[in-house]
């Protein structure tokens, strides 16, 4: 990669100012102060506008499953750019056929139909619309802490009221507690299921249920891993209610948890599954997977101009090839185990850690203050100090007090361990 010459002092600040002058309000651009200005990225590293290199332990919001700018993805985009970029969804193309076949080859058994989308939110909107058209008067059940995107069609299902209020959207689903063992104890699944049973009882308030929609592991919720019995119990409930089980694998999929899909850990097949983020290898690709008898909308029920953009789809086909050929799910499982042990060794006994959660290459470090309260400022400060040390992490959780790690699955073990040691050091510093 060729780096353009630049004045290392000024470039980032100048870019921020140029954006600030013209950008409308509402994006996250200026939430961090100063904003982190991306310039280039390769593998598990990001180079900022001032030429400084960082280890990306957040994978660009969990997108860079195959790494940033994977050579196979880059080559596929280059080649496709010279052949065909825009191809309307009304017209099939070889590239679309290849994408559908590639995605079908890694789909859970039984989910043999695919609809393309361009964002996670769009995929979830399609899944919700399928459930709505199947049961027009049906209602939805989802869980506290859920995140399905921030479009008008999905934000009504969000756990955080702040997200809905920002867009002027009302709640669109009945909300029951997501099993949160740390806060709800060992019986957290029982509590969630009991809440649903109460809701659907004759005097419970809910009408006919069209679907239960959830993340099998919550990402925005702070890498929240429910007990293994949750999903089979929801499957049985949905069957009983003739409701669809919609599982959002946008963040938990593509090998992140050590399996291609998080649902594989519990042996449950949903009716509809949404995928996104890593599937595009860095391009805007998402999809809905489902059973043929559910994915049976009449022709011309929906479209979008760039839905089957051939650059996007060629990149996704290449990324899926990388996921399979480099066995990144297995790698995430193996490396995640070593990483988890290392974090546990260094952080396990620290009083400021409420819980250290992890599965595959996905970790949530939930912080608390000395009174046992969620420590949002601690998580913010940890992210700030880590950035100063050249390591990027995410933040989230119900109370914004979770440091989140979702590195590229191809990250070299040595780069990962070095960065994790920085994470541990910084959390120790903050606890002192
Ligand atoms: N679902 C989950 C679980 C997510 O984590 C996200 C994004 O973070 C989305 C949906 C929304 O995806 P997008 O931002 O591509 O619309």
């Amino acid at each position: 990669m060729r780096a353009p010459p630049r004045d290392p002092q000024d470039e980032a600040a100048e870019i921020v100012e140029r954006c600030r002058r013209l950008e409308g309000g509402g994006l996250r651009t200026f939430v961090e102060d100063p904003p982190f200005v991306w310039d280039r990225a390769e593998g598990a590293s990001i180079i900022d506008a001032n030429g400084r290199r960082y280890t990306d332990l957040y994978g660009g919001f969990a997108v860079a499953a195959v790494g940033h700018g994977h050579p196979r993805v880059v080559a596929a985009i280059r080649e496709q750019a010279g052949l065909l970029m825009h191809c309307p969804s009304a017209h099939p193309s070889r590239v679309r056929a290849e994408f559908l076949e590639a995605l079908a080859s890694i789909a859970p058994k039984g989910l043999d139909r695919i609809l393309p989308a361009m964002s996670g939110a769009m995929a979830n909107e399609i899944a919700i619309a399928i459930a709505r058209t199947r049961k027009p008067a049906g209602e939805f059940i989802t869980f506290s802490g859920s995140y399905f995107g921030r479009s008008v069609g999905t934000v009504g299902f969000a756990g955080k009221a702040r997200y809905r209020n920002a867009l002027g959207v009302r709640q669109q689903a009945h909300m029951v507690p997501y099993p949160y063992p740390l806060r709800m104890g060992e019986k957290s699944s029982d509590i969630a299921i009991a809440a649903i049973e109460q809701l659907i009882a004759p005097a419970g308030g809910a009408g006919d249920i069209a679907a239960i929609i959830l993340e099998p592991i919550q990402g925005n919720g702070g890498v929240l891993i429910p007990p293994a019995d949750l999903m089979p119990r929801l499957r049985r409930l949905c069957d009983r209610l003739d409701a669809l089980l919609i599982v959002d694998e946008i963040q938990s999929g593509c090998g992140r948890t050590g399996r291609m899909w998080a649902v594989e850990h519990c042996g449950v097949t949903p009716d509809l599954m949404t995928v996104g983020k890593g599937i595009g290898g860095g391009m805007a690709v998402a999809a809905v997977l489902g059973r043929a008898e559910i994915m049976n909308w009449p022709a011309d029920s929906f479209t979008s101009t760039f839905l089957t953009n051939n650059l996007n789809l060629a990149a996704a086909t290449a990324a899926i090839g990388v996921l399979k050929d480099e066995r990144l799910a297995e790698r995430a499982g193996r490396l995640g185990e070593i990483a988890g042990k290392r974090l546990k060794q260094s952080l396990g006994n620290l009083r400021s850690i409420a819980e250290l959660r992890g599965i595959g290459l996905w970790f949530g470090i939930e912080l608390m203050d000395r009174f046992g309260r969620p420590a949002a400022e601690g998580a913010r400060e940890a992210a700030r100090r880590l950035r100063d040390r050249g390591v990027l992490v995410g933040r989230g959780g119900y109370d914004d007090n979770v440091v989140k790690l979702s590195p590229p699955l191809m990250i070299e073990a040595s780069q990962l361990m070095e960065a994790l040691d920085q994470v541990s050091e910084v959390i120790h510093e903050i606890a002192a």
Side-chain angles (χ1 to χ4, degrees):
M1 227 182 287
R2 192 160 42 87
R6 61 169 57 109
D7 177 348
Q9 291 307 314
D10 290 334
E11 182 116 12
E14 189 217 317
I15 290 169
V16 169
E17 278 322 302
R18 286 167 61 196
C19 291
R20 203 189 293 276
R21 270 201 299 276
L22 292 171
E23 193 167 285
L27 299 190
R28 279 179 70 149
T29 325
F30 308 109
V31 166
E32 257 184 86
D33 187 22
F36 179 80
V37 182
W38 290 48
D39 189 52
R40 289 168 292 136
E42 53 189 2
S45 300
I46 296 170
I47 296 104
D48 75 5
N50 290 337
R52 186 168 176 214
R53 182 176 281 268
Y54 298 78
T55 292
D56 183 11
L57 283 191
Y58 200 32
F61 287 74
V63 164
V66 301
H68 294 283
H70 191 287
R72 273 175 68 181
V73 176
V74 173
I77 293 170
R78 285 214 167 98
E79 190 189 337
Q80 191 56 40
L83 295 171
L84 177 66
M85 287 192 265
H86 173 61
C87 180
S89 71
H91 303 289
S93 67
R94 175 184 52 79
V95 173
R96 196 197 309 184
E98 286 169 0
F99 164 72
L100 293 170
E101 286 162 5
L103 189 48
S105 76
I106 57 168
K109 234 184 165 154
L111 302 188
D112 42 17
R113 293 292 162 134
I114 297 163
L115 283 171
M118 288 177 295
S119 69
M122 187 181 194
N124 282 329
E125 285 188 1
I126 294 168
I128 290 163
I130 289 172
R132 280 207 175 112
T133 51
R134 184 172 170 270
K135 272 194 184 180
E139 297 173 9
F140 288 78
I141 295 175
T142 191
F143 294 84
S144 55
S146 288
Y147 186 91
F148 303 110
R150 289 174 76 175
S151 63
V152 170
T154 53
V155 80
F157 295 74
K160 287 181 182 163
R162 175 172 82 79
Y163 293 159
R164 292 197 297 275
N165 297 340
L167 296 186
V169 174
R170 298 221 182 114
Q171 195 168 311
Q172 301 281 314
H174 300 284
M175 207 50 86
V176 296
Y178 192 81
Y180 197 152
L182 172 71
R183 297 186 181 185
M184 289 156 65
E186 270 173 30
K187 300 206 169 242
S188 57
S189 280
D190 293 353
I191 294 170
I193 297 293
I196 298 178
E197 291 288 4
Q198 207 163 12
L199 190 65
I200 59 178
D208 192 18
I209 301 300
I212 298 180
I213 176 168
L214 79 158
E215 301 156 78
I217 293 167
Q218 288 190 341
N220 184 285
V223 193
L224 200 45
I225 307 168
D229 66 332
L230 176 71
M231 209 53 89
R233 293 172 82 175
L234 290 179
R235 177 70 274 175
R236 286 196 293 276
L237 250 169
C238 283
D239 291 344
R240 204 179 93 206
L241 298 173
D242 184 32
L244 298 183
L245 179 61
I246 305 176
V247 169
D248 173 336
E249 290 261 14
I250 286 158
Q251 199 164 154
S252 57
C254 295
R256 173 65 47 204
T257 66
R259 301 277 178 90
M260 190 59 81
W261 310 110
V263 286
E264 289 174 30
H265 291 281
C266 54
V268 164
T269 308
D271 299 299
L272 293 171
M273 185 175 105
T274 54
V275 305
K277 289 196 184 275
I279 205 79
M283 297 291 274
V285 180
V288 185
L289 285 68
R291 292 191 283 114
E293 64 270 31
I294 297 169
M295 305 277 271
N296 60 358
W297 271 349
D300 207 13
S301 289
F302 94 105
T303 187
S304 184
T305 301
F306 296 113
L307 193 63
T308 54
N309 177 278
N310 274 207
L311 269 194
N312 285 351
L313 299 187
T317 303
I320 293 167
V322 172
L323 279 172
K324 285 162 69 173
D325 297 346
E326 296 185 11
R327 306 175 77 82
L328 289 180
E330 288 95 318
R331 188 167 197 282
R334 265 196 329 272
L335 199 52
E337 205 155 301
I338 301 167
K341 277 191 190 136
R342 193 156 179 131
L343 282 173
K344 206 163 180 194
Q345 253 170 15
S346 54
L347 294 175
N349 295 324
L350 209 57
R351 277 190 39 219
S352 60
I353 307 277
E355 191 170 51
L356 177 58
R357 299 186 283 270
I359 181 164
L361 269 178
W362 203 13
F363 297 98
I365 306 168
E366 178 157 353
L367 302 180
M368 59 182 182
D369 66 15
R370 59 204 162 87
F371 304 107
R373 295 173 307 206
E377 184 45 39
R380 195 173 304 120
E381 183 59 21
R384 204 178 294 141
R385 290 191 193 187
L386 280 162
R387 179 176 150 184
D388 288 344
R389 290 170 174 238
V391 176
L392 302 177
V393 298
R395 283 187 300 120
Y398 287 27
D399 297 288
D400 297 321
N401 63 325
V402 180
V403 173
K404 295 195 301 178
L405 312 178
S406 49
L409 308 183
M410 43 56 68
I411 189 170
E412 285 297 333
S414 56
Q415 187 180 5
L416 176 62
M417 298 309 154
E418 261 170 46
L420 290 180
D421 289 348
Q422 299 275 0
V423 171
S424 299
E425 266 181 43
V426 160
I427 290 177
H428 272 276
E429 254 179 43
I430 287 170

